[in-house]
Amino acid sequence: MKRLTILLATFILCLATMVTLAARASSGVPNASGALPGVASGSAYAGYLKVSAGSSIASVGPLFPVFLGCDIADKTHTATAASMHLGPFASSGSLTDSVTSTHTATAAQVHANSTVQSANILAGLIAADVVTADAVSHATATAASSTGSATFVHLVVAGKSISATPAPNTTITLTGLGSVVLNEQSAKGDGVNHTSISVNAIDVRVTLANT
C-alpha cells in the first residue's frame, strides 16, 4: 500500500491558544500489483483557534473546511470566504482553500493549497498582505514523494520585514509572548510506499504570561 499525506496550514497561533489557517490533503495508492488504481483523498480548512482546556476563551473552527474523499476520478473541492475572524487574536480578508486530486494510468497526486489575504495576528504584531501554504503528494507504482512551501507578500514580524520565502522552520522569538515559526514543515515517508508532509506557514505559540 502506497500512501501520500499532506498537512498544510497557512497560519497558526498558539497561546496555549492556537490559531490555524490551514489546508490538509492526503492520498493513498496501493502498489501490490505495480499498478495505480488512482484512489486519493484530502481536506483543507481556512482557520482554527485552539485554546487550552480550562481557558475562558472558546476554541474556534476549523473554519471553511473542504474534504475530498477516496475517489478514483479527478476532483477539486474549494471553499472561499470574504473574511475570517479567530476570536480576538487573528483576522483576515478573503481566503481560498482547495484540494485537488489528479490521476493518470501511472501516477496519482493530491495538491492542497490555502491562500489568505490581509492576515493580521495579535493586533498587527504579525501581518502580511498575502499568506500561502502549498503542499503536493505524488506517487507512482515505484516511488512516493511530497513537497511543501509557504510564501508571503509583505510579511512583517514585530516590526521587521521578513523574506517572502523563509527557510523551513524559521523561528523568531516574540518578546514577552513566545515564538513564531515560519514555513514550519515536517515530513515523513520511505520514498517508496509512504510519504507525508505538514506545512504551517505561520505558527505562533504564546506560551508566556501576558496581559
Side-chain angles (χ1 to χ4, degrees):
M1 170 70 75
K2 192 170 302 220
R3 294 190 176 183
L4 301 81
T5 57
I6 304 170
L7 169 63
L8 211 167
T10 300
F11 118 94
I12 293 181
L13 169 69
C14 185
L15 41 106
T17 298
M18 179 164 108
V19 180
T20 308
L21 281 75
R24 175 187 174 90
S26 63
S27 69
V29 287
N31 66 345
S33 64
L36 291 171
V39 176
S41 63
S43 61
Y45 60 89
Y48 182 38
L49 170 64
K50 182 179 180 181
V51 184
S52 295
S55 172
S56 60
I57 302 169
S59 295
V60 178
L63 300 178
F64 311 108
V66 291
F67 178 73
L68 187 65
C70 294
D71 269 295
I72 60 173
D74 294 356
K75 286 191 176 180
T76 297
H77 287 188
T78 302
T80 62
S83 64
M84 178 172 59
H85 296 274
L86 296 171
F89 306 110
S91 64
S92 79
S94 61
L95 58 93
T96 301
D97 296 305
S98 65
V99 180
T100 299
S101 64
T102 55
H103 313 78
T104 69
T106 59
Q109 179 172 292
V110 169
H111 177 201
N113 178 277
S114 183
T115 299
V116 174
Q117 311 288 328
S118 304
N120 185 316
I121 306 169
L122 297 176
L125 182 67
I126 300 170
D129 290 350
V130 184
V131 179
T132 300
D134 201 75
V136 177
S137 283
H138 179 87
T140 66
T142 58
S145 62
S146 294
T147 59
S149 65
T151 58
F152 307 89
V153 176
H154 300 149
L155 173 63
V156 176
V157 177
K160 296 182 179 180
S161 296
I162 305 297
S163 167
T165 55
N169 303 310
T170 295
T171 302
I172 300 173
T173 298
L174 301 176
T175 303
L177 291 174
S179 63
V180 56
V181 182
L182 305 174
N183 193 14
E184 184 177 54
Q185 296 191 20
S186 177
K188 296 180 180 180
D190 60 11
V192 178
N193 296 307
H194 179 266
T195 180
S196 67
I197 189 168
S198 66
V199 180
N200 297 319
I202 305 175
D203 182 353
V204 180
R205 297 180 179 274
V206 180
T207 56
L208 303 178
N210 61 89
T211 57

